[in-house]
Amino acid sequence: MSAVRDYLIDVEYPCGREELLRSAAAHGAGDQIIGHLGKLPEQEYADAETVQRLLGTDSP
């Protein structure tokens, strides 16, 4: 999961899924990471730990 977090370092929480996707894309995330983030529900995320928990262990 640390790979995904590396692309979200500038995210200001709370934020929505679109902000996570924008940040990841701006930091050069590949299709696999963008795909995992894109599968998250459209909601407000309180912090990086929430994102990590929802992505689970099968994400990069």
Side-chain angles (χ1 to χ4, degrees):
M1 175 58 200
S2 62
V4 173
R5 290 181 78 159
D6 292 344
Y7 296 105
L8 303 177
I9 56 174
D10 293 335
V11 172
E12 291 186 29
Y13 294 94
C15 72
R17 181 182 68 194
E18 292 304 315
E19 179 59 27
L20 298 174
L21 290 166
R22 273 192 294 275
S23 178
H27 287 93
D31 291 341
Q32 184 179 18
I33 290 176
I34 296 292
H36 281 287
L37 291 171
K39 292 177 184 176
L40 290 172
E42 182 56 51
Q43 66 181 48
E44 192 161 282
Y45 296 92
D47 51 39
E49 290 74 28
T50 301
V51 174
Q52 180 176 348
R53 186 177 72 250
L54 290 171
L55 287 173
T57 58
D58 64 336
S59 63

